[in-house]
Amino acid sequence: RRGGAQRMAYPPVVAGGAAANIIHYSRNDKTVPAGQLVTMDAGCELHGYASDITRSWPVSGQFSSAQRDVYEAVLEVHRKCEAGCVVGNTLRDLHSYSVAALCEVIRQFGLSESQYRRFYPHALGHWLGLDTHDAALVSLSSPMQPGVVLTIEPGLYFPDTHDVPKELRGVAIRLEDDILIQEDGPTVLTKDIPIHPDEVSSLVGTTKLP
């Protein structure tokens, strides 16, 4: 409301460490120590229209080498999928691209891409409007049209289990922005929310609420 919104669009999802592997984690009863990441999925409403944004950041303000590798891999896929939000493309096709790209990342981390659903267990995005998932009846195979708004939210989630490289255990990154389809290309409606890892790190512990 400080920024002019009227209400939350949905209950925020805030998870730290391995709890961020739970996509809709809601217990909110854990202390997140330095060295771990926090993922926040939150949005607000204005005049009935919803927003839906997700960012991940290190509690200490500094990414470990492995955390940054995962972050930058997800960010690269995120940006390429954003660029693909053009008239005529489909969300299903973009999701298929994101699966292929993240499977390659999973393989590079020494894990089996055949198990990619363990590490990327959700869709790339969804339509956005008067509801956070608006409208569920519109197929993901529907061609994008000018005026359509959707989310792009690739992610990678590595459980804290013995078969995952130690440096990746408990690392979860999801990056989500809201995209407006226009004739001349996509407009990122949430572009003012920092997403580059250096910008994110510089904000931790320094931002003051008005």
Side-chain angles (χ1 to χ4, degrees), residues 39-53:
T39 292
M40 178 182 288
D41 185 335
C44 57
E45 284 189 8
L46 181 63
H47 304 312
Y49 286 90
S51 61
D52 187 359
I53 307 105

Side-chain angles (χ1 to χ4, degrees), residues 91 95 120 122-127 133 140 150-154:
L91 194 45
H95 173 73
Y120 180 33
H122 57 75
L124 172 67
H126 55 83
W127 313 118
H133 289 253
L140 298 183
L150 67 151
T151 70
I152 291 294
E153 50 180 307

Side-chain angles (χ1 to χ4, degrees), residues 34-197:
Q36 292 191 350
L37 299 166
V38 168
T39 292
M40 178 182 288
D41 185 335
C44 57
E45 284 189 8
L46 181 63
H47 304 312
Y49 286 90
S51 61
D52 187 359
I53 307 105
T54 304
R55 292 291 187 267
S56 300
W57 67 87
V59 173
S60 63
Q62 297 297 319
F63 290 95
S64 71
S65 177
Q67 288 169 347
R68 185 165 182 127
D69 286 346
V70 176
Y71 191 103
E72 290 183 339
V74 172
L75 180 57
E76 181 178 359
V77 174
H78 177 89
R79 285 178 166 160
K80 287 183 177 179
C81 289
E82 281 183 345
C85 291
V86 298
V87 174
N89 278 356
T90 72
L91 194 45
R92 189 174 302 281
D93 287 343
L94 287 182
H95 173 73
S96 295
Y97 166 77
S98 73
V99 169
L102 290 174
C103 277
E104 176 61 20
V105 174
I106 290 166
R107 186 189 65 78
Q108 291 174 0
F109 284 141
L111 296 162
S112 174
E113 58 190 84
S114 66
Q115 300 182 47
Y116 80 88
R117 290 183 184 276
R118 284 185 65 198
F119 312 118
Y120 180 33
H122 57 75
L124 172 67
H126 55 83
W127 313 118
L128 184 67
L130 294 173
D131 199 356
T132 309
H133 289 253
D134 187 11
L137 295 179
V138 179
S139 171
L140 298 183
S141 298
S142 298
M144 296 178 188
Q145 301 178 25
V148 166
V149 178
L150 67 151
T151 70
I152 291 294
E153 50 180 307
L156 282 174
Y157 311 82
F158 296 103
D160 189 2
T161 56
H162 70 278
D163 60 333
V164 172
K166 187 175 181 180
E167 66 274 14
L168 293 176
R169 294 176 190 173
V171 174
I173 301 287
R174 182 167 70 257
L175 301 173
E176 179 179 21
D177 279 299
D178 302 343
I179 315 297
L180 170 64
I181 307 300
Q182 295 184 294
E183 290 283 4
D184 58 353
T187 295
V188 182
L189 300 175
T190 45
K191 63 180 176 60
D192 291 335
I193 301 174
I195 195 169
H196 188 280

